[in-house]
C-alpha cells in the first residue's frame, strides 16, 4: 500500500515535470524586442527575411517593372508592413511572383510565409488556408474588343470567355449566366498575359477576371464593360497550421485600418 502511494507520488511529480517542459518549449523564442509573436513569426525572425508571394502582372497591386526588375504595388506595401511588424524592417522581404494557380501550393509546401496577391477570401479556400479580414473589395468584370459590339454577360451565349485556372471567375460567372439562360464556353489559361493574347488573336471573345486585374491589360483596342458580377474580398493568406502568423498578419492589417494607414496606401496607389 505504502509502496503504491510512493509510486503514485513519483508519477505525479514526473507528470508535472513533463508538463513544465512541454510548456517552456511551446512558448517559443523571443523577438528582438523581447516579445514573442508566436512560433512561426519566431522562425521568420531567425531567418531574418519574410518570404511573400505577390502578383507581378497586376499594376498597382503587384507589378514587376520590366526595366528595373523591381516589384511594387499596394500589396507589396502590405507585405512591407508585416515585415516591419515581425522583423522591425520593412525591407527585409523576399518576393516571389505567384499566379492564381501557384499561390496556395507555395504556402502549403512552406516556400512562402504569406501571400498578398489579389487573393479572394472564399469559404472553400478557408478550409485549407488562413485568411485575414478583407483589405480591398473588387468585382469580376469582362473585357472585350471595342470592335466586338459585346455589352455584357447577356451577349456571351455560346461565346468563348478566357479565364484563369484556379480563379473564382468561372464559377461566379456561371452562377450569373445560368439564370440568364446564357451558356458561354470557358477556356482556362495559366496566366493573364496568355488570355490577353488570346483575346487579341480572336481565340476568345472575352477576357474575364477581377476589374483591378483587367485594368492592367486595357489598351486602345479593348474596353472593360461596366457591369460587375461578384464581390471579391481580398485577404492575405497563410498556411493553415500557422495560426499564430495569421494573427500577427491580421493584427497588422487591423492596426493599419484603424490608424488610417491602409486608406493612405490605397490613395498612394490610386485605388480610392
Ligand atoms: N481574385 C480572384 C481569385 O482569387 C481572381 C484570380 C486572381 O487573383 O488572380 O480567384
Amino acid at each position: 500500500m505504502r509502496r503504491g502511494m510512493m509510486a503514485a507520488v513519483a508519477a505525479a511529480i514526473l507528470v508535472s515535470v513533463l508538463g513544465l517542459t512541454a510548456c517552456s518549449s511551446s512558448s517559443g523564442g523571443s523577438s528582438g524586442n523581447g516579445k514573442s509573436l508566436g512560433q512561426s513569426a519566431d522562425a521568420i525572425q531567425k531567418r531574418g527575411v519574410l518570404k511573400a508571394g505577390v502578383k507581378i502582372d497586376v499594376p498597382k497591386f503587384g507589378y514587376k517593372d520590366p526595366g528595373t526588375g523591381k516589384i511594387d504595388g499596394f500589396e507589396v506595401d502590405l507585405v512591407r508592413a508585416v515585415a516591419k511588424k515581425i522583423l522591425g524592417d520593412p525591407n527585409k522581404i523576399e518576393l516571389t511572383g505567384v499566379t492564381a494557380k501557384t499561390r496556395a501550393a507555395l504556402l502549403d509546401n512552406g516556400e512562402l510565409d504569406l501571400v498578398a496577391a489579389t487573393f479572394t477570401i472564399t469559404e472553400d479556400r478557408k478550409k485549407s488556408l488562413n485568411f485575414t479580414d478583407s483589405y480591398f473589395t473588387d468585382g469580376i468584370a469582362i473585357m472585350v474588343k471595342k470592335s466586338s459590339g459585346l455589352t455584357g454577360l447577356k451577349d456571351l451565349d455560346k461565346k468563348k470567355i478566357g479565364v484563369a485556372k484556379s480563379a473564382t471567375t468561372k464559377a461566379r460567372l456561371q452562377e450569373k449566366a445560368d439564370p440568364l439562360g446564357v451558356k458561354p464556353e470557358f477556356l482556362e489559361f495559366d496566366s493573364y498575359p496568355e488570355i490577353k493574347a488570346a483575346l487579341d488573336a480572336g481565340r476568345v471573345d472575352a477576357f474575364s477576371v477581377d476589374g483591378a486585374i483587367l485594368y492592367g491589360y486595357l489598351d486602345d483596342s479593348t474596353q472593360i464593360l461596366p457591369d460587375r458580377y461578384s464581390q471579391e474580398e481580398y485577404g492575405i493568406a497563410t498556411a493553415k497550421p500557422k495560426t499564430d502568423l495569421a494573427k500577427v498578419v491580421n493584427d497588422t492589417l487591423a492596426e493599419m485600418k484603424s490608424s488610417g494607414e491602409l486608406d493612405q496606401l490605397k490613395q498612394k496607389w490610386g485605388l480610392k
Side-chain angles (χ1 to χ4, degrees):
M1 187 67 189
R2 207 177 147 70
R3 194 179 285 172
M5 258 179 73
M6 276 175 70
V9 169
I13 291 170
L14 190 65
V15 164
S16 76
V17 168
L18 284 177
L20 280 175
T21 312
C23 270
S24 65
S25 72
S26 70
S27 68
S30 71
S31 70
N33 59 18
K35 224 173 52 191
S36 175
L37 295 170
Q39 232 175 333
S40 313
D42 290 347
I44 294 166
Q45 283 167 356
K46 231 177 251 159
R47 191 201 298 136
V49 67
L50 176 70
K51 294 187 188 178
V54 293
K55 288 293 182 76
I56 53 171
D57 59 356
V58 183
K60 295 184 179 189
F61 283 81
Y63 183 73
K64 186 173 184 171
D65 185 310
T68 64
K70 208 168 165 271
I71 306 171
D72 251 325
F74 170 53
E75 287 170 329
V76 175
D77 283 347
L78 298 182
V79 170
R80 289 187 193 286
V82 176
K84 188 168 172 219
K85 174 90 167 178
I86 297 176
L87 296 157
D89 183 343
N91 295 315
K92 289 189 173 166
I93 55 173
E94 185 184 299
L95 300 176
T96 299
V98 299
T99 66
K101 198 176 153 217
T102 64
R103 58 194 168 189
L106 292 169
L107 285 173
D108 285 339
N109 70 15
E111 269 183 57
L112 299 176
D113 299 312
L114 59 84
V115 163
T118 67
F119 209 167
T120 303
I121 306 161
T122 69
E123 287 311 312
D124 204 39
R125 287 172 178 168
K126 281 203 294 197
K127 288 181 198 150
S128 51
L129 296 171
N130 303 308
F131 278 92
T132 62
D133 296 331
S134 169
Y135 58 81
F136 189 82
T137 308
D138 200 13
I140 289 175
I142 295 175
M143 176 191 273
V144 295
K145 279 193 190 169
K146 280 180 187 166
S147 59
S148 70
L150 299 165
T151 63
L153 187 56
K154 63 174 176 38
D155 296 338
L156 292 175
D157 190 35
K158 299 190 184 73
K159 299 268 192 250
K160 294 188 174 84
I161 307 182
V163 297
K165 286 179 188 160
S166 307
T168 49
T169 323
K170 181 180 164 183
R172 296 199 170 170
L173 272 189
Q174 188 84 65
E175 249 171 51
K176 300 282 164 155
D178 286 345
L180 299 174
V182 167
K183 292 190 187 356
E185 182 188 343
F186 290 98
L187 267 59
E188 296 188 90
F189 295 79
D190 283 333
S191 73
Y192 298 119
E194 286 170 85
I195 310 180
K196 178 60 167 57
L199 181 67
D200 290 342
R203 282 181 278 122
V204 296
D205 302 289
F207 170 7
S208 180
V209 72
D210 310 353
I213 298 174
L214 283 181
Y215 273 106
Y217 294 89
L218 192 60
D219 58 20
D220 286 347
S221 66
T222 52
Q223 62 178 334
I224 297 170
L225 301 175
D227 286 342
R228 294 294 176 270
Y229 298 95
S230 68
Q231 197 154 314
E232 305 289 311
E233 300 288 351
Y234 294 170
I236 298 182
T238 48
K240 195 72 179 173
K242 299 182 182 174
T243 48
D244 58 336
L245 181 59
K247 182 177 179 332
V248 176
V249 180
N250 202 43
D251 286 353
T252 307
L253 284 184
E255 284 161 22
M256 292 173 81
K257 264 181 208 169
S258 59
S259 69
E261 200 186 331
L262 194 66
D263 278 340
Q264 281 167 16
L265 276 185
K266 286 180 190 173
Q267 251 150 27
K268 169 184 166 187
W269 290 103
L271 299 171
K272 268 211 107 151

